[in-house]
Amino acid sequence: MGRSTTAPRPRRPLSADLGALRRGLRRRAGRTRRLAQRLAAQAAASWRSSLQVRIGAITMLVAGTVVVIVSLVLFSQIRDQLLSVKEQAAIDQVQTGVVYAQNEVAGIAAGDGASVRATLDRTVKQLKERGSPAGDFEVVMVYRTGDSERPPAVSQRGIYPAIPPELRADVASGGQYAQYALVPDGSGLARPTYLVGAPVPTGAGSAEQIELYYAFPLDQEAESLSLFRSTVVISGIALTLFVVGIALLVTRLVVDPVRRAAGIAQRLAEGQLEERMAVRGEDDLARLATSFNAMADSLQRQITQLESLSQLQQRFTSDVSHELRTPLTTVQMAAEVLYESRADFPPHVARSAELMHTELDRFEGLLTDLLEISRYDAGAAVLDWEPTDLGALVRRVAAGMSALAGRHGCELTVSGPAQDVIAEVDARRVERILRNLVGNAIEHGTGKPVEITWAANRTAAAVTVRDHGVGLSSAEAQHVFDRFWRADPSRVRTVGGSGLGLSISLEDARLHGGWLQVWGQPGVGAQFRLTLPLSAGADLSSSPLPLRPAVLRRPRGAG
């Protein structure tokens, strides 16, 4: 049988592996960055929206800072106290050891090196056996002769090299000195040690000198400080969390009633006037709830009273308007007879018949407007939607108002797109809006031209009526749609009207879901803009025409 051989699979290039690794790292870094940004955004939102989170964070920061400062101060004091006790016990031990070593080396044979070393080792052994309240220690004795070329005799040769040279020099100069240093233990591991050195007086010649060094390891103190540090850290964290927990609990006790009050206030604003806060106890929060409920009761009474007054006013206006219809019809019939026969009357009687006829027409218009306003107040006004060509409607209004404009020496100009603009509106109400706007512009235009412009985009249509008369200030523009309001009460109406035309026009525009806005400037004129959605029930986001008219540039070299 022959052996089948399998072709080796080609190896993937190393550069491809590195590229895939880099892409994976970039994707992971991107996910991590997005997660961090999302968490940061959530934390920022919690910080802005939650008083409890802010108080908890601030309390944690303050409590943590205080705990850290107190812990550092306590740790420093305890460390200094431990080391102070250690230092005092070590110094006492050294002084006792110097006296003992002096007695032991009093008869040392200076010339015999073996005898000197044996004496030093024996003295060191006996000193170590004596024990010390300062804890464990090591003893090093150094015997120096006057010969500088001859090395000193040293016990504990493993420790002596670790003694700092400056400490050796100080002790060699005479006197007792101490210093902290790192000294290796039996395993060669360096550990913090408190070194104390002192010369040992001898009866030999002045060229000979014996030095005694005590090495007190600080292992026990380091262990105690480490235990204290751990205890302080754990206690500090526990204390901080405990304080933060108390702060959050107290804050919750205060914030929860405020949150409930905010929720109840929102429901009150939505019309649920029966909502009240629960009163528990007799503390400040209970008094807050009691005051809040008293305020809600007062608001409910006032709102109920205002609603009753409003309904009474609406019913009174509607009833009066209806009741005046019958006598007005009778008076109109009689006035019509007198008006048609005015040619047979003396001039002053004929003039009276004309004035009565005119004022009765105005009175009828006022009743009609009052009835319309009462329908809006009662919420009974409805629209008769139908597709309407706004351009044709604007031109029809302009044609109807041309006679009035001619009597006031005012020129009406109409401009708009060539194509038809079809909108779903109540044509009767829109025509009434435009008649009111054009009539208002003629009355206040002081004989100057009145410009009517319309335009449309994909979602809305707009009509502007611009006059160049007395204009409006910003304060007057805020009241121009108020009922029976006049910018100048002393000004006599030349067009007539009930004083409700602009108010009704605003209600008609709102009923269509549209805007009726005004711009004015004293001495420059005013411009009203009506914006309507092309489709019934659609929302408006913008208008095809600007509210403020464009300012014409002055020619160069003028004034």
Side-chain angles (χ1 to χ4, degrees), residues 403-447:
L404 179 63
R407 289 198 300 270
H408 287 79
C410 175
E411 179 186 0
L412 291 181
T413 61
V414 181
S415 61
Q419 63 273 20
D420 294 340
V421 177
I422 306 300
E424 294 181 357
V425 296
D426 188 332
R428 180 183 64 85
R429 295 181 184 273
V430 174
E431 183 175 355
R432 181 169 60 188
I433 295 174
L434 296 179
R435 285 183 177 275
N436 284 327
L437 296 183
V438 175
N440 184 76
I442 293 173
E443 180 179 358
H444 296 88
T446 63

Coordinates of all heavy atoms in Angstrom, one line a residue, residues 403-447:
A403 N -62.1 99.4 -2.0 CA -62.9 100.6 -1.9 C -62.6 101.3 -0.6 O -62.5 102.5 -0.6 CB -64.4 100.2 -1.9
L404 N -62.4 100.6 0.5 CA -62.0 101.2 1.8 C -60.7 101.8 1.7 O -60.5 103.0 2.2 CB -62.1 100.1 2.9 CG -61.7 100.6 4.3 CD1 -62.6 101.7 4.8 CD2 -61.6 99.4 5.2
A405 N -59.7 101.1 1.0 CA -58.4 101.7 0.8 C -58.5 103.0 0.0 O -57.7 103.9 0.3 CB -57.5 100.7 0.2
G406 N -59.3 103.0 -1.0 CA -59.5 104.2 -1.9 C -60.0 105.4 -1.1 O -59.6 106.5 -1.3
R407 N -60.9 105.1 -0.2 CA -61.5 106.2 0.6 C -60.4 106.8 1.5 O -60.5 108.0 1.9 CB -62.7 105.7 1.5 CG -63.9 105.5 0.6 CD -65.2 105.4 1.5 NE -65.1 104.4 2.5 CZ -65.5 103.1 2.3 NH1 -66.0 102.8 1.2 NH2 -65.4 102.2 3.3
H408 N -59.4 106.0 1.9 CA -58.3 106.5 2.8 C -57.1 106.9 2.0 O -56.0 107.2 2.7 CB -58.0 105.4 3.9 CG -59.0 105.3 4.9 ND1 -60.2 104.6 4.7 CD2 -59.1 105.7 6.2 CE1 -60.9 104.6 5.8 NE2 -60.3 105.3 6.7
G409 N -57.2 106.9 0.7 CA -56.0 107.3 -0.1 C -54.9 106.3 0.1 O -53.7 106.7 0.0
C410 N -55.2 105.0 0.2 CA -54.2 104.0 0.5 C -54.1 103.1 -0.7 O -55.2 102.7 -1.2 CB -54.5 103.2 1.7 SG -53.4 101.9 2.1
E411 N -52.9 102.7 -1.1 CA -52.8 101.8 -2.3 C -52.5 100.4 -1.7 O -51.6 100.2 -0.9 CB -51.6 102.3 -3.1 CG -51.3 101.4 -4.3 CD -50.1 101.8 -5.1 OE1 -49.4 102.8 -4.7 OE2 -49.8 101.1 -6.1
L412 N -53.2 99.4 -2.2 CA -53.0 98.0 -1.9 C -52.2 97.3 -3.0 O -52.5 97.4 -4.1 CB -54.3 97.3 -1.7 CG -55.2 97.7 -0.6 CD1 -56.5 96.8 -0.6 CD2 -54.5 97.4 0.8
T413 N -51.1 96.7 -2.6 CA -50.2 95.9 -3.5 C -50.2 94.5 -3.0 O -50.1 94.2 -1.9 CB -48.8 96.5 -3.5 OG1 -48.2 96.4 -2.2 CG2 -48.8 97.9 -4.0
V414 N -50.4 93.6 -4.0 CA -50.5 92.1 -3.7 C -49.4 91.4 -4.5 O -49.2 91.7 -5.7 CB -51.9 91.6 -4.1 CG1 -51.9 90.1 -3.8 CG2 -53.0 92.3 -3.4
S415 N -48.6 90.6 -3.9 CA -47.6 89.8 -4.5 C -47.5 88.4 -4.0 O -47.8 88.2 -2.8 CB -46.2 90.5 -4.4 OG -45.9 90.6 -3.0
G416 N -47.2 87.5 -4.8 CA -47.1 86.1 -4.4 C -46.6 85.2 -5.5 O -46.4 85.7 -6.7
P417 N -46.4 83.9 -5.3 CA -46.0 83.0 -6.4 C -47.0 82.8 -7.5 O -48.2 83.0 -7.3 CB -45.7 81.7 -5.6 CG -46.6 81.8 -4.4 CD -46.7 83.2 -4.1
A418 N -46.5 82.5 -8.7 CA -47.4 82.3 -9.8 C -48.2 81.0 -9.7 O -49.4 81.0 -10.1 CB -46.6 82.3 -11.1
Q419 N -47.7 80.0 -9.1 CA -48.4 78.7 -9.0 C -49.4 78.8 -7.8 O -49.3 79.6 -6.9 CB -47.4 77.5 -8.8 CG -46.6 77.6 -7.5 CD -45.4 78.4 -7.6 OE1 -45.2 79.2 -8.6 NE2 -44.4 78.2 -6.7
D420 N -50.4 77.9 -7.9 CA -51.4 77.9 -6.9 C -50.9 77.3 -5.6 O -50.0 76.4 -5.6 CB -52.6 77.0 -7.3 CG -53.3 77.7 -8.5 OD1 -53.2 78.9 -8.7 OD2 -54.0 76.9 -9.3
V421 N -51.4 77.9 -4.5 CA -51.0 77.4 -3.1 C -52.3 76.8 -2.5 O -53.2 77.6 -2.1 CB -50.4 78.5 -2.3 CG1 -50.1 77.9 -0.9 CG2 -49.1 79.0 -2.9
I422 N -52.4 75.5 -2.4 CA -53.6 74.8 -1.9 C -53.3 74.4 -0.5 O -52.3 73.7 -0.2 CB -54.0 73.6 -2.8 CG1 -54.1 74.0 -4.3 CG2 -55.3 73.0 -2.3 CD1 -55.1 75.1 -4.5
A423 N -54.2 74.8 0.4 CA -54.1 74.5 1.8 C -55.5 74.0 2.3 O -56.5 74.5 1.9 CB -53.6 75.7 2.6
E424 N -55.4 73.1 3.3 CA -56.7 72.6 3.9 C -57.0 73.5 5.1 O -56.4 73.4 6.2 CB -56.5 71.2 4.4 CG -56.3 70.2 3.3 CD -56.1 68.7 3.8 OE1 -56.1 68.6 5.0 OE2 -56.0 67.8 3.0
V425 N -57.9 74.5 4.9 CA -58.3 75.5 5.9 C -59.8 75.7 5.8 O -60.5 75.2 5.0 CB -57.6 76.8 5.6 CG1 -56.0 76.7 5.7 CG2 -57.9 77.4 4.2
D426 N -60.2 76.5 6.8 CA -61.6 77.0 6.8 C -61.6 78.3 6.1 O -61.1 79.3 6.7 CB -62.1 77.1 8.3 CG -63.6 77.4 8.3 OD1 -64.1 78.1 7.4 OD2 -64.2 77.1 9.3
A427 N -62.0 78.3 4.9 CA -61.8 79.5 4.1 C -62.5 80.8 4.7 O -62.0 81.9 4.6 CB -62.4 79.3 2.6
R428 N -63.7 80.6 5.3 CA -64.4 81.7 5.9 C -63.6 82.3 7.0 O -63.5 83.6 7.1 CB -65.8 81.2 6.4 CG -66.6 82.3 7.0 CD -67.9 81.7 7.6 NE -67.7 80.8 8.7 CZ -67.5 81.2 10.0 NH1 -67.5 82.5 10.3 NH2 -67.3 80.3 10.9
R429 N -63.0 81.5 7.8 CA -62.2 82.1 9.0 C -60.9 82.7 8.5 O -60.5 83.8 9.0 CB -62.0 81.0 10.0 CG -63.2 80.4 10.7 CD -62.9 79.4 11.7 NE -64.1 78.8 12.3 CZ -64.7 79.3 13.3 NH1 -64.3 80.4 13.9 NH2 -65.8 78.7 13.8
V430 N -60.3 82.1 7.5 CA -59.0 82.7 7.0 C -59.3 84.0 6.3 O -58.6 85.0 6.5 CB -58.3 81.7 6.0 CG1 -57.1 82.4 5.4 CG2 -57.9 80.4 6.8
E431 N -60.4 84.1 5.6 CA -60.8 85.3 4.9 C -61.1 86.4 6.0 O -60.7 87.6 5.8 CB -62.0 85.1 4.0 CG -62.4 86.4 3.3 CD -63.5 86.1 2.3 OE1 -63.9 84.9 2.1 OE2 -64.0 87.1 1.7
R432 N -61.7 86.0 7.1 CA -62.0 87.0 8.1 C -60.7 87.5 8.8 O -60.6 88.7 9.1 CB -62.9 86.3 9.2 CG -63.3 87.3 10.3 CD -64.3 86.7 11.2 NE -63.9 85.4 11.8 CZ -64.8 84.6 12.5 NH1 -66.0 85.0 12.6 NH2 -64.3 83.5 13.0
I433 N -59.7 86.6 9.0 CA -58.4 87.0 9.5 C -57.8 88.0 8.6 O -57.3 89.1 9.0 CB -57.5 85.8 9.6 CG1 -58.0 84.8 10.7 CG2 -56.1 86.2 10.0 CD1 -57.2 83.5 10.8
L434 N -57.8 87.7 7.3 CA -57.1 88.7 6.3 C -57.9 90.0 6.3 O -57.2 91.1 6.1 CB -57.0 88.0 5.0 CG -56.1 86.7 4.9 CD1 -56.1 86.2 3.5 CD2 -54.7 87.1 5.3
R435 N -59.2 90.0 6.3 CA -59.9 91.2 6.3 C -59.6 92.1 7.5 O -59.5 93.3 7.4 CB -61.4 90.9 6.2 CG -61.9 90.5 4.9 CD -63.4 90.3 4.9 NE -63.9 89.9 3.5 CZ -64.2 90.8 2.6 NH1 -64.1 92.1 2.8 NH2 -64.6 90.4 1.4
N436 N -59.5 91.4 8.7 CA -59.2 92.2 9.9 C -57.8 92.8 9.8 O -57.5 93.9 10.2 CB -59.2 91.3 11.1 CG -60.7 91.0 11.5 OD1 -61.5 91.9 11.4 ND2 -60.9 89.8 12.0
L437 N -56.8 92.0 9.2 CA -55.4 92.5 9.1 C -55.3 93.6 8.1 O -54.7 94.6 8.4 CB -54.5 91.3 8.7 CG -54.4 90.2 9.7 CD1 -53.3 89.1 9.2 CD2 -53.9 90.6 11.1
V438 N -56.0 93.5 7.0 CA -55.9 94.5 6.0 C -56.6 95.8 6.5 O -56.2 96.9 6.3 CB -56.5 94.0 4.6 CG1 -56.6 95.2 3.6 CG2 -55.7 92.9 4.1
G439 N -57.8 95.6 7.1 CA -58.5 96.8 7.6 C -57.7 97.5 8.7 O -57.7 98.7 8.7
N440 N -57.1 96.7 9.5 CA -56.2 97.3 10.6 C -55.0 98.1 9.9 O -54.7 99.2 10.4 CB -55.7 96.2 11.5 CG -54.9 96.8 12.7 OD1 -55.4 97.3 13.6 ND2 -53.6 96.7 12.6
A441 N -54.5 97.5 8.9 CA -53.3 98.2 8.2 C -53.8 99.5 7.5 O -53.1 100.5 7.5 CB -52.7 97.3 7.2
I442 N -55.0 99.5 6.9 CA -55.5 100.7 6.3 C -55.8 101.8 7.3 O -55.5 102.9 7.1 CB -56.8 100.4 5.5 CG1 -56.5 99.4 4.3 CG2 -57.5 101.6 5.0 CD1 -57.7 98.9 3.6
E443 N -56.4 101.4 8.5 CA -56.7 102.4 9.5 C -55.4 103.0 10.1 O -55.4 104.2 10.3 CB -57.5 101.7 10.6 CG -57.8 102.7 11.7 CD -58.6 102.0 12.9 OE1 -58.9 100.8 12.7 OE2 -59.0 102.7 13.8
H444 N -54.4 102.2 10.3 CA -53.1 102.8 10.9 C -52.1 103.1 9.9 O -50.9 103.5 10.2 CB -52.6 101.8 11.9 CG -53.5 101.5 13.0 ND1 -54.5 100.5 13.0 CD2 -53.6 102.1 14.3 CE1 -55.1 100.5 14.1 NE2 -54.6 101.5 14.9
G445 N -52.4 103.0 8.6 CA -51.3 103.2 7.5 C -51.2 104.7 7.2 O -50.2 105.0 6.4
T446 N -52.0 105.6 7.6 CA -51.9 107.0 7.4 C -51.8 107.3 5.9 O -51.0 108.2 5.5 CB -50.8 107.6 8.1 OG1 -49.5 107.1 7.7 CG2 -50.9 107.4 9.6
G447 N -52.6 106.6 5.1 CA -52.6 106.8 3.6 C -51.4 106.3 2.9 O -51.3 106.5 1.6

